[in-house]
Amino acid sequence: MSLVKLNIKGISYSQTQNGAYALILNEEGGERKLPIVIGAFEAQSIAIALEKEIKPPRPLTHDLFKNFSDRFGIVVKQVIIHKLVDGVFYSSIICEREGLEEIIDARTSDAIALALRFKAPIFTYKAILEKAGIYLKSAPSKKKKISKKEETILEELILGEDAESKPPKAQDFSKYTLKELNEMLDESVSNEDYERAAQLRDEISKRS
């Protein structure tokens, strides 16, 4: 199975659901996006890692793991999002120590937070991207600067505002038809509400 490299586009949050965040991954060399719903703590940890100039006064959990790994000569080589079951993504961390490679199971949010700290690439399988990726049709444009909205989200997460560790609430889409779900998905993508788009995508995937 062929692997596709992913890059982090940013973090989005729902305007209607408290504590719900979506990590947006971009297909390298393509236009598909892979939104993954994550918790507030993991979103904060990823946001801090993205802002390279920000250093927390005390190590966060993922920073501690990085320091521990460095001390014992463990290197994270890559992260692979290898499975999608009922809307849940499963990931593996590929580590190396003294020439020996190990594969460790991890939550995708944790795996990506560590990949950022180790500067390790993130991959998924082509089949997963085809199943769960959201394809955006957009005209070619100049390199986009980070939006004010994205800056606000990162700032709030880094400062710990609105970052209570509450599990995201899933909306009930069971009463909608597949046609309605696909229309709602298109609308959510247009509005850049990736957290809702991810939930709609998962509901459509369950029925397929």
Side-chain angles (χ1 to χ4, degrees):
M1 294 174 75
S2 57
L3 289 171
V4 179
K5 190 175 180 183
L6 301 171
N7 297 313
I8 295 173
K9 179 184 184 291
I11 298 170
S12 170
Y13 63 61
S14 169
Q15 301 295 324
T16 57
Q17 296 183 41
N18 225 2
Y21 291 85
L23 173 67
I24 317 302
L25 301 174
N26 253 7
E27 169 190 21
E28 186 168 273
E31 293 185 0
R32 285 178 293 188
K33 289 178 172 56
L34 192 67
I36 300 174
V37 178
I38 61 175
F41 172 77
E42 292 77 14
Q44 183 185 47
S45 181
I46 289 168
I48 288 172
L50 286 169
E51 290 293 313
K52 295 177 176 58
E53 294 177 10
I54 303 292
K55 196 165 184 181
R58 300 294 297 149
L60 299 177
T61 304
H62 298 108
D63 297 319
L64 175 62
F65 186 96
K66 172 69 164 60
N67 295 340
F68 184 89
S69 300
D70 288 345
R71 184 65 61 91
F72 289 93
I74 300 166
V75 179
V76 171
K77 305 295 288 183
Q78 62 183 4
V79 162
I80 299 176
I81 303 170
H82 64 86
K83 190 165 67 171
L84 173 61
V85 179
D86 294 332
V88 177
F89 290 90
Y90 292 77
S91 292
S92 295
I93 300 173
I94 315 300
C95 303
E96 188 178 274
R97 181 172 182 265
E98 296 179 352
L100 295 174
E101 192 174 274
E102 295 287 347
I103 300 174
I104 299 173
D105 182 41
R107 294 189 308 169
T108 297
S109 54
D110 289 328
I112 290 172
L114 289 173
L116 281 169
R117 286 162 171 81
F118 282 90
K119 297 181 175 56
I122 302 162
F123 297 95
T124 192
Y125 288 110
K126 190 176 176 182
I128 291 176
L129 194 58
E130 286 172 352
K131 182 179 180 183
I134 294 171
Y135 185 80
L136 296 185
K137 290 180 182 176
S138 57
S141 59
K142 294 179 182 177
K143 193 172 180 183
K144 184 186 167 188
K145 291 183 179 177
I146 188 165
S147 69
K148 203 73 185 168
K149 181 181 173 185
E150 287 170 328
E151 276 183 355
T152 303
I153 294 169
L154 289 174
E155 190 177 306
E156 286 178 353
L157 285 166
I158 289 165
L159 294 175
E161 297 172 17
D162 194 32
E164 295 173 24
S165 189
K166 295 178 183 176
K169 272 190 194 170
Q171 191 176 337
D172 182 13
F173 296 113
S174 57
K175 61 183 178 182
Y176 298 100
T177 65
L178 269 175
K179 184 183 176 184
E180 289 171 328
L181 289 171
N182 279 296
E183 287 171 354
M184 289 160 69
L185 175 61
D186 290 341
E187 183 187 355
S188 296
V189 171
S190 298
N191 295 333
E192 295 189 1
D193 186 352
Y194 293 111
E195 181 269 336
R196 187 165 183 261
Q199 293 181 0
L200 285 160
R201 175 206 61 204
D202 294 340
E203 179 66 26
I204 292 167
S205 179
K206 283 180 195 173
R207 298 194 197 181
S208 299

